[in-house]
Amino acid sequence: AQTVTQSQPEMSVQEAETVTLSCTYDTSENNYYLFWYKQPPSRQMILVIRQEAYKQQNATENRFSVNFQKAAKSFSLKISDSQLGDTAMYFCAFMGNDNAGNMLTFGGGTRLMVKP
Amino acid sequence: EPEVTQTPSHQVTQMGQEVILRCVPISNHLYFYWYRQILGQKVEFLVSFYNNEISEKSEIFDDQFSVERPDGSNFTLKIRSTKLEDSAMYFCASSEGGRGTHEQYFGPGTRLTVT
């Protein structure tokens, strides 16, 4: 079974600064997908960024980028120029290519507070 | 922008009662999911549903749980006889296609409190 671990329960960052959230995972599969989801205080989870394991290039979406280290099974999220609206829970998630049901396995989450 | 909606936002029920949580997925989506999050714990997968049948289910999804797509728009999760440990936030999600190339869109959740 796959596991996803987020070792930082809480983090804070000053507005306009850069912050990196950590995520490690364990799997025996070679092809899979990794995601970062954001859950603002309103509770609706939103996809931030996605990485396909067969792609070596790190995914980037505007101020959000990932550092994907396949051998180390590490998938960190970097938020540049942090904004107050980035305050949220961030979940790292894994989807294997082998399961038929498109199941997402989530980490425990990191609560990010952006301070003015 | 299309959204997944869920009703009710909060449901309080007594132990042993049946509850039905309702979801309206995004209209052109074909894959549907239920996840739950017990307070302070991880979001956990319950079940996925495609082509009117369950594609995959977790160990949590035992005989007390069932899912249904009763019409062309709703997707429901039924818990037959609720237990205290069923208290959680239940999230519905939908995706246009399968695999990780298709984003799962989440609803705002239903908070279920079993007393």
Side-chain angles (χ1 to χ4, degrees):
Chain A
Q2 289 83 12
T3 57
V4 179
T5 302
Q6 294 178 247
S7 58
Q8 304 149 316
E10 291 186 1
M11 293 192 73
S12 64
V13 62
Q14 291 295 131
E15 196 175 7
E17 298 284 299
T18 295
V19 64
T20 299
L21 309 184
S22 302
C23 173
T24 58
Y25 58 94
D26 189 26
T27 184
S28 58
E29 296 186 43
N30 192 44
N31 294 318
Y32 46 86
Y33 302 88
L34 295 161
F35 307 85
W36 279 98
Y37 276 88
K38 171 185 177 182
Q39 189 180 36
S42 65
R43 311 291 292 181
Q44 193 146 8
M45 266 196 290
I46 307 163
L47 180 66
V48 174
I49 199 165
R50 164 181 36 221
Q51 176 80 40
E52 295 161 61
Y54 69 87
K55 290 187 177 178
Q56 292 187 337
Q57 188 170 7
N58 288 324
T60 299
E61 288 287 341
N62 301 315
R63 297 183 294 108
F64 298 86
S65 61
V66 298
N67 183 6
F68 173 49
Q69 302 287 330
K70 191 172 183 180
K73 296 180 181 172
S74 168
F75 182 61
S76 60
L77 175 70
K78 185 171 84 170
I79 306 173
S80 304
D81 186 25
S82 298
Q83 300 175 0
L84 296 178
D86 295 333
T87 292
M89 278 292 278
Y90 286 82
F91 292 98
C92 179
F94 172 98
M95 182 189 293
N97 216 28
D98 291 348
N99 73 80
N102 313 314
M103 174 181 76
L104 285 168
T105 300
F106 286 89
T110 296
R111 186 177 303 280
L112 176 67
M113 171 77 71
V114 180
K115 298 179 178 178
Chain B
E1 188 172 331
E3 291 184 333
V4 176
T5 59
Q6 291 185 242
T7 53
S9 56
H10 190 191
Q11 173 94 46
V12 181
T13 189
Q14 288 191 326
M15 198 167 53
Q17 295 295 304
E18 175 183 288
V19 293
I20 298 176
L21 309 184
R22 301 180 192 282
C23 168
V24 179
I26 294 173
S27 62
N28 64 331
H29 286 188
L30 301 176
Y31 294 77
F32 314 110
Y33 315 88
W34 283 101
Y35 293 83
R36 81 171 185 190
Q37 184 180 27
I38 295 172
L39 188 63
Q41 298 187 23
K42 293 185 178 186
V43 176
E44 301 171 292
F45 170 81
L46 292 178
V47 66
S48 59
F49 191 85
Y50 169 70
N51 201 25
N52 274 325
E53 59 183 29
I54 291 174
S55 309
E56 189 170 8
K57 59 183 181 179
S58 70
E59 292 176 354
I60 303 167
F61 194 87
D62 60 22
D63 292 344
Q64 294 298 314
F65 291 89
S66 63
V67 289
E68 194 177 33
R69 188 152 162 83
D71 52 42
S73 58
N74 289 282
F75 180 53
T76 61
L77 174 69
K78 183 195 291 186
I79 309 175
R80 255 178 278 282
S81 177
T82 50
K83 306 170 193 165
L84 293 176
E85 54 265 36
D86 293 328
S87 293
M89 196 77 166
Y90 287 81
F91 295 102
C92 174
S94 69
S95 64
E96 189 175 354
R99 300 297 181 214
T101 52
H102 295 275
E103 178 181 350
Q104 290 186 21
Y105 290 81
F106 283 79
T110 292
R111 180 171 300 285
L112 176 66
T113 302
V114 182
T115 61

